[in-house]
Amino acid sequence: RNWLISASIAANPMRATRAALVTKHLTFAGIPSKDFPNHLAGWDLRHPVYEKTLEPGEHIISYNRNASSYGIGATGNYFALAGATMSGVGIDSGLSGRNAVEFEVQRNVSVLEGTAAFINGPPAGGISGIGGATQIFIADKGLSSLTALGAAS
């Protein structure tokens, strides 16, 4: 799958520009370059990708794994707008189970926003879904700008 993504990016200058923006943010976030292809596969580069600032008072959600069933309950780097489904942001809860947690932005935080890609095939690490929803990537350095409010409605 990753070689198909690489070929698709190389064949389209706009996708290449968008991929470069994603990799810039992944680099800033300290993501190892060996993991870039997996992250890039989660972005639908046919659609715009934006650098933007979330401002205090804005609300976003994260689909966090249940700590009791999987052993990992920490918030990751990927978020969504309220109302987005797990499948819409390329997540399959699988055996771990996930809960939507609502967060409020407390301080300005720089993020990357774009469209989640369709991820076909059996879930790998909880990644699989129809995509199409807005996803937001926040580097670890920006997570302290958020406060968890509890279960999203």
Side-chain angles (χ1 to χ4, degrees), residues 63-66 69-70 85-87 90-100 123-129:
Y63 287 102
N64 293 358
R65 287 186 173 100
N66 295 330
S69 62
Y70 196 78
T85 65
M86 276 194 283
S87 183
I91 297 173
D92 182 303
S93 68
L95 298 175
S96 67
R98 291 188 185 238
N99 292 309
I127 308 303
S128 178

Side-chain angles (χ1 to χ4, degrees), residues 12-146:
N12 184 307
M14 188 53 71
R15 288 184 190 173
T17 299
R18 293 171 181 154
L21 184 57
V22 172
T23 57
K24 172 185 155 189
H25 274 263
L26 295 174
T27 301
F28 174 76
I31 305 291
S33 60
K34 69 177 180 56
D35 295 335
F36 287 4
N38 291 331
H39 283 272
L40 281 168
W43 294 85
D44 188 340
L45 299 175
R46 296 173 304 164
H47 299 282
V49 176
Y50 304 97
E51 289 180 293
K52 67 178 278 184
T53 300
L54 296 181
E55 298 179 351
E58 290 190 64
H59 289 230
I60 55 177
I61 61 170
S62 174
Y63 287 102
N64 293 358
R65 287 186 173 100
N66 295 330
S68 60
S69 62
Y70 196 78
I72 302 173
T75 301
N77 299 97
Y78 285 89
F79 295 82
L81 300 177
T85 65
M86 276 194 283
S87 183
V89 289
I91 297 173
D92 182 303
S93 68
L95 298 175
S96 67
R98 291 188 185 238
N99 292 309
V101 178
E102 183 176 5
F103 290 83
E104 182 174 355
V105 177
Q106 301 299 312
R107 293 180 301 284
N108 285 352
V109 60
S110 177
V111 305
L112 191 65
E113 182 177 292
T115 303
F118 168 69
I119 308 287
N120 192 14
I127 308 303
S128 178
I130 61 170
T134 298
Q135 67 181 3
I136 298 165
F137 178 85
I138 303 176
D140 286 346
K141 301 167 190 173
L143 295 178
S144 64
S145 299
L146 307 175

